[in-house]
Amino acid sequence: MNLRISEDGFRFRITPEDLDTLLRGREIDQRVCLGAHCFTYRIAPVKFEKDMRLEMAVAGFCLSVPHAMLEELHDLGRSKEGLSAMQGDVNIALQLDIKTQMRKAA
């Protein structure tokens, strides 16, 4: 999983294996440490929400994604677009890493 932050959005890009983990109801996370300080970003599947929602925590970010949206992402297959939602003036995107898929197929 990786996270790209820009002035108007956040893009989470996950591998097919990450998506399988999320579809099984388990969170995925990534941690970057600089000395004693760590920054964490994670994606958590949720059952009763309608939209993706990004929340800030003291040590990073958490993207909550409804299970139905994870299934939609799975059904999109090799789509560069992925899913996105506006949260205020910020675009939140969740994409499947198609480059990883293409490398494995070769």
Side-chain angles (χ1 to χ4, degrees):
M1 169 179 51
N2 68 48
L3 169 63
R4 178 176 289 174
I5 302 172
S6 66
E7 66 185 57
D8 61 351
F10 291 77
R11 185 202 68 206
F12 291 80
R13 186 172 284 164
I14 61 175
T15 66
E17 293 81 13
D18 290 336
L19 181 56
D20 289 342
T21 299
L22 292 166
L23 286 168
R24 287 193 306 268
R26 297 180 46 210
E27 294 182 359
I28 58 172
D29 64 6
Q30 191 73 39
R31 178 180 289 202
V32 178
C33 294
L34 296 169
H37 302 282
C38 293
F39 174 82
T40 303
Y41 50 100
R42 75 178 195 263
I43 301 175
V46 291
K47 292 183 180 182
F48 303 110
E49 299 292 326
K50 293 181 183 179
D51 298 311
M52 288 191 292
R53 178 151 183 84
L54 184 64
E55 296 183 60
M56 294 180 68
V58 174
F61 297 100
C62 179
L63 179 65
S64 299
V65 183
H67 189 78
M69 291 185 83
L70 294 169
E71 289 176 347
E72 183 180 345
L73 182 63
H74 180 268
D75 292 345
L76 285 173
R78 290 178 51 172
S79 166
K80 186 176 181 178
E81 301 306 314
L83 304 174
S84 64
M86 293 300 292
Q87 188 170 321
D89 293 334
V90 177
N91 184 50
I92 311 297
L94 178 61
Q95 300 173 344
L96 198 56
D97 189 347
I98 62 172
K99 291 180 182 176
T100 300
Q101 291 178 339
M102 292 170 65
R103 283 192 298 268
K104 287 184 179 181

